[in-house]
Amino acid sequence: MLTRNSLVFWVEKYFYNPSLSQKLISFCLLPLSYIYCFLMLVRFKSKVAEDFGIDIVSVGNLTVGGSGKTPLVIALAKEHLNAAIILRGYGRDSSGLYVVKDKNKILCDVSVSGDEAMIYAHKLPRAVVIVSEDRKEGIKKAKEMGVTSVFLDDAYSKHDIKKRDILIEVDTSNNRCLPSGPYRERLWKAKEVTLFREGIDFKRRVELKDATVKMSLVTAIARPERLDEFLPKVVSKNYFADHHTFTKKELEDILKKDKSDSLLVTYKDYVKVQDFGLKLSLLDLEVELISPL
């Protein structure tokens, strides 16, 4: 039986490191990709950008899967005294608009906010954090709360909002649109963007906190192999689908199986499991800006 985890990992391999059979599937789906990409172009051409009278910056990437946009948003937002972060809140158990954090305190738990929004709430103590499928409603709410700048998490495709767009360059040999490749949209010629490249415009740094002798890596991020260059020695690597909701038992089972001293997690995992009472080690990934916004 195909589990959700195995399906997600199959798709990630299909997009970024395909086998021969997956390359064949990709080729067969090319006609659908052409249609999809054309429809995205028509959609882009049909949109008129609304000016909300506030500084709005979108940070994202063109492909499906992780690119490290969350730590980049954090690094950019830290330079603003009165900012709001607005995101869809993928993977949350709620819907609609929620103020996850005002300028003073966190107002809900991770099941309501989703994991990425809770990272922002922890990492940006002075910022407002809002989740909303409707980004325009989120912007209006942020303005009501008196912010002077807004950062949209992964909103390149919101062509009906006047904003500055930052795109993180993602290395992939497959430059096709969905479903043949990983591209959700193209970099349209009529759209101005700022391209951020790792090692040129920003660099990643990692701090290992509360390390133990025997650690088991547990993570639910997209393309988890991205962690390999930052990893210390671990007993095992346990990958779950992006935004997976952990249970205490499945984590206890890993500790028991590996006879580990702690679970090594990223901050995205930490915000979901910190209250389980288990011994955690933290792989805290942050971004340092080289080029100013």
Side-chain angles (χ1 to χ4, degrees):
M1 180 179 178
L2 190 64
T3 65
R4 179 173 180 266
N5 273 0
S6 58
L7 176 61
V8 168
F9 296 141
W10 187 93
V11 171
E12 288 179 353
K13 180 176 173 59
Y14 166 73
F15 282 147
Y16 292 99
N17 188 29
S19 64
L20 183 60
S21 61
Q22 287 173 325
K23 288 179 180 179
L24 180 60
I25 294 171
S26 175
F27 179 77
C28 292
L29 291 175
L30 265 177
L32 292 179
S33 291
Y34 294 142
I35 294 170
Y36 169 85
C37 210
F38 175 73
L39 291 175
M40 290 299 101
L41 176 59
V42 172
R43 176 178 174 274
F44 165 64
K45 293 284 190 181
S46 68
K47 298 294 183 180
V48 177
E50 181 178 350
D51 189 347
F52 285 86
I54 190 172
D55 184 34
I56 301 175
V57 178
S58 168
V59 180
N61 58 284
L62 294 177
T63 59
V64 298
S67 64
K69 66 183 174 351
T70 302
L72 180 57
V73 172
I74 291 169
L76 293 168
K78 280 181 177 178
E79 300 189 343
H80 293 251
L81 295 175
N82 196 12
I85 314 298
I86 299 172
L87 63 162
R88 182 180 180 272
Y90 187 83
R92 59 187 169 123
D93 294 334
S94 63
S95 60
L97 188 151
Y98 281 87
V99 178
V100 176
K101 180 185 167 296
D102 61 19
K103 295 177 183 179
N104 300 308
K105 61 182 182 298
I106 296 173
L107 303 174
C108 63
D109 63 30
V110 70
S111 65
V112 173
S113 69
D115 47 21
E116 290 172 343
M118 192 56 68
I119 297 173
Y120 291 129
H122 279 270
K123 293 270 192 175
L124 295 169
R126 297 180 298 182
V128 169
V129 181
I130 296 171
V131 290
S132 176
E133 293 90 348
D134 188 329
R135 308 299 175 89
K136 290 186 175 183
E137 290 303 312
I139 294 168
K140 291 174 185 176
K141 182 64 177 179
K143 288 186 69 176
E144 288 176 13
M145 298 177 71
V147 306
T148 56
S149 58
V150 168
F151 288 87
L152 301 179
D153 179 305
D154 199 17
Y156 172 82
S157 64
K158 306 302 179 184
H159 305 301
D160 55 352
I161 299 173
K162 185 178 179 181
K163 54 185 166 54
R164 291 182 286 167
D165 280 287
I166 293 175
L167 290 176
I168 301 172
E169 187 176 63
V170 176
D171 291 329
T172 172
S173 59
N174 185 347
N175 63 358
R176 296 166 178 167
C177 283
L178 293 168
S180 187
Y183 277 81
R184 298 175 290 175
E185 201 157 345
R186 290 302 188 191
L187 184 56
W188 309 119
K189 290 182 179 179
K191 193 174 179 72
E192 293 184 6
V193 304
T194 301
L195 191 65
F196 265 48
R197 295 152 297 178
E198 186 170 356
I200 298 175
D201 302 292
F202 69 94
K203 59 183 178 180
R204 303 183 196 275
R205 52 186 175 84
V206 177
E207 184 179 356
L208 180 58
K209 300 177 179 177
D210 300 319
T212 61
V213 175
K214 295 178 66 178
M215 298 180 289
S216 296
L217 174 67
V218 176
T219 190
I221 66 170
R223 298 166 56 208
E225 67 278 358
R226 293 179 295 142
L227 295 176
D228 286 349
E229 63 178 296
F230 307 112
L231 282 181
K233 184 179 179 180
V234 294
V235 178
S236 66
K237 298 177 182 179
N238 303 274
Y239 297 152
F240 293 81
D242 195 17
H243 301 286
H244 175 76
T245 300
F246 295 102
T247 66
K248 185 175 181 179
K249 184 181 184 306
E250 66 191 355
L251 298 182
E252 288 176 330
D253 287 346
I254 291 170
L255 282 170
K256 183 178 179 180
K257 172 179 66 70
D258 291 348
K259 298 180 180 179
S260 294
D261 303 317
S262 66
L263 299 170
L264 179 61
V265 297
T266 68
Y267 217 99
K268 186 173 180 177
D269 312 302
Y270 174 79
V271 296
K272 293 182 287 189
V273 304
Q274 60 179 321
D275 295 328
F276 284 177
L278 303 175
K279 177 63 177 176
L280 302 176
S281 302
L282 179 62
L283 194 67
D284 197 2
L285 285 79
E286 295 189 343
V287 156
E288 182 179 332
L289 297 175
I290 299 173
S291 300
L293 178 60

